[in-house]
């Protein structure tokens, strides 16, 4: 197969591993800088141009689109889809996953367990909003945040009010969530490929911190999932329509609760914690599924 990896940085661990895994399995793998792709949408024959040439002959594309370039990145991916190139994740699914409120609405509609979550636009409604999620302590999250930045634990109602007011004053989009204390500063990352959890790790926050992000000094180790956790992760990935995803779960007294579903999950943490060849499994998924014109969206989304 000829595989394109849409990535802005060839040096990233995930990008390097996907190239390595693809080549090991006998494929031709090219890294394409998403932001350097350009397109002509008026022609009846869709093309993506890169460094002066039209990209041709690709069977599959692996989008590794950073949150900050979702808009242009999904447009580039859609163009590949219109050319009939099979995407590891479809553009519509990525767009869906990048919108946190939309994701939570879809997951709740399909009965996936989640922490009680609320959002509002106006500071006038803060009191009732806090009551809705069960009062303090509660977690306040900036919708645009990643790597734990913009996630705040408000221990008292007063603190919650002030922080929510401050964020709203800055016109930041936020959501407010029930604090799952019994998770004990840990969460579970389930790596799901083609409807199966292929690897899972438990991330633990350092002493005195509730955010388990590895970027915030968390540590990771392999974990054995319960059947319920496994089923929850698979269902969350399916609801989002993602073939490859990282489903983050909190272990609560009422069972597994999904926090978020990541459409470009990193490989470094999961491969080093579990020793599994996750990159190889992504390539294997493409081998089984990539046929010309297999994309259902054909860029319609
Ligand atoms: P980000 O997208 O920045 O990683 P998350 O929503 O994943 O933000 O939150 C970061 C971390 O904070 C999580 O990995 C988890 O450890 C902790 N956390 C988030 N929400 C809750 C919650 N409702 N209850 C308990 N801990 C939480
Ligand atoms: Mg997270």
């Amino acid at each position: 197969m000829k595989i394109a990896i849409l990535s802005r940085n060839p040096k990233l661990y995930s990008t390097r591993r996907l190239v390595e895994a693809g080549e090991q399995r006998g494929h031709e793998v090219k890294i394409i800088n998403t932001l350097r792709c350009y397109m002509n949408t008026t022609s009846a024959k869709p093309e993506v141009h890169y460094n002066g040439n039209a990209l041709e002959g690709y069977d599959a594309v692996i989008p590794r689109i950073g949150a900050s370039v979702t808009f242009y990145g999904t447009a580039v991916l859609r163009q590949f889809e219109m050319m009939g190139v099979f995407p590891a994740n479809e553009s519509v699914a990525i767009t869906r996953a990048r919108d946190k409120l939309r994701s939570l609405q879809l997951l709740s509609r399909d009965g996936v367990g989640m922490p009680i979550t609320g959002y509002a636009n106006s500071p006038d409604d803060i009191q009732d909003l806090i009551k809705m999620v069960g009062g303090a302590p509660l977690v306040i999250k900036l919708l645009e945040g990643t790597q734990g930045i913009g996630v705040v634990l408000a221990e008292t109602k007063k603190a919650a009010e002030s922080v929510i007011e401050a964020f709203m004053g800055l016109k930041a989009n936020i959501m407010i969530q029930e604090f799952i204390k019994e998770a004990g500063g840990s969460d579970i990352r389930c790596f799901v490929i083609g409807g199966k959890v292929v690897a899972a790790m438990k991330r633990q926050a350092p002493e005195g911190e509730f955010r388990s992000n590895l970027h915030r000094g968390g540590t990771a180790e392999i974990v054995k999932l319960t059947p319920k956790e496994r089923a929850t992760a698979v269902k969350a990935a399916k609801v989002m329509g993602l073939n490859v995803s990282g489903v983050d779960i909190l272990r609560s007294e009422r069972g597994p609760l999904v926090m978020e579903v990541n459409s470009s999950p990193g490989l470094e943490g999961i491969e080093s914690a579990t020793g599994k060849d996750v990159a190889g499994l992504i390539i294997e998924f493409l081998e089984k599924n990539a046929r010309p014109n297999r994309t259902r969206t054909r860029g319609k989304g």
Side-chain angles (χ1 to χ4, degrees):
M1 280 198 295
K2 189 167 165 185
I3 302 172
I5 300 177
L6 286 180
S7 167
R8 288 165 73 196
N9 188 351
K11 295 202 186 85
L12 286 180
Y13 177 94
S14 301
T15 314
R16 283 191 285 114
R17 282 285 299 126
L18 286 165
V19 173
E20 195 177 276
E23 288 176 349
Q24 241 165 33
R25 298 176 72 97
H27 305 296
E28 182 185 345
V29 187
K30 288 264 185 318
I31 301 172
I32 311 278
N33 181 341
T34 323
L35 296 188
R36 292 291 309 280
C37 289
Y38 50 102
M39 300 155 292
N40 172 357
T41 52
T42 49
S43 119
K45 182 173 167 279
E47 287 179 335
V48 175
H49 284 249
Y50 191 65
N51 284 336
N53 299 304
L55 296 175
E56 272 170 14
Y58 284 91
D59 303 293
V61 53
I62 304 177
R64 303 283 318 173
I65 297 170
S68 60
V69 297
T70 303
F71 181 70
Y72 196 74
T74 49
V76 172
L77 182 59
R78 252 189 319 275
Q79 193 80 358
F80 274 97
E81 290 168 1
M82 293 202 293
M83 289 156 60
V85 182
F86 181 81
N89 277 331
E90 289 183 4
S91 54
V92 274
I94 296 173
T95 308
R96 213 180 271 138
R98 285 287 157 80
D99 181 336
K100 288 198 186 183
L101 297 186
R102 186 175 174 195
S103 301
L104 293 176
Q105 285 167 328
L106 291 169
L107 292 168
S108 75
R109 188 184 66 187
D110 285 32
V112 176
M114 293 179 311
I116 301 170
T117 308
Y119 36 91
N121 193 268
S122 162
D124 297 339
D125 306 313
I126 291 178
Q127 297 291 337
D128 198 35
L129 186 66
I130 292 176
K131 226 193 304 164
M132 250 168 46
V133 303
L138 54 80
V139 176
I140 302 155
K141 296 185 186 185
L142 274 177
L143 293 196
E144 290 82 16
T146 56
Q147 307 180 343
I149 296 164
V151 179
V152 181
L153 173 61
E155 313 233 20
T156 65
K157 181 157 172 284
K158 268 269 145 288
E161 282 168 9
S162 318
V163 176
I164 296 169
E165 252 167 33
F167 277 152
M168 282 183 169
L170 293 168
K171 303 253 173 284
N173 289 310
I174 54 169
M175 62 189 189
I176 291 135
Q177 206 161 63
E178 151 197 26
F179 176 52
I180 309 299
K181 188 166 187 285
E182 63 271 26
S186 73
D187 74 346
I188 313 275
R189 160 61 61 93
C190 306
F191 208 105
V192 186
I193 303 179
K196 274 206 204 89
V197 179
V198 299
M201 64 175 166
K202 181 177 177 178
R203 295 177 295 205
Q204 179 67 52
E207 192 63 35
E209 170 63 76
F210 78 103
R211 295 166 301 175
S212 61
N213 301 67
L214 302 182
H215 288 95
R216 305 265 73 72
T219 49
E221 60 178 46
I222 193 163
V223 71
K224 190 157 168 41
L225 300 180
T226 65
K228 181 90 190 283
E229 287 165 349
R230 200 169 278 278
T232 300
V234 168
K235 183 159 185 191
K238 181 156 185 253
V239 170
M240 300 306 296
L242 292 166
N243 299 317
V244 177
S245 68
V247 181
D248 292 341
I249 285 179
L250 290 171
R251 281 183 164 162
S252 83
E253 276 159 3
R254 58 179 197 277
L257 303 178
V258 172
M259 244 183 334
E260 62 177 344
V261 184
N262 198 315
S263 58
S264 277
L267 297 178
E268 188 165 15
I270 195 86
E271 287 196 336
S272 36
T274 64
K276 294 203 174 138
D277 176 12
V278 178
L281 293 169
I282 294 175
I283 304 294
E284 193 184 304
F285 173 80
L286 295 179
E287 289 167 357
K288 286 190 184 137
N289 292 281
R291 309 269 181 286
N293 298 305
R294 267 298 283 274
T295 27
R296 273 173 293 121
T297 60
R298 302 278 288 156
K300 287 197 198 88

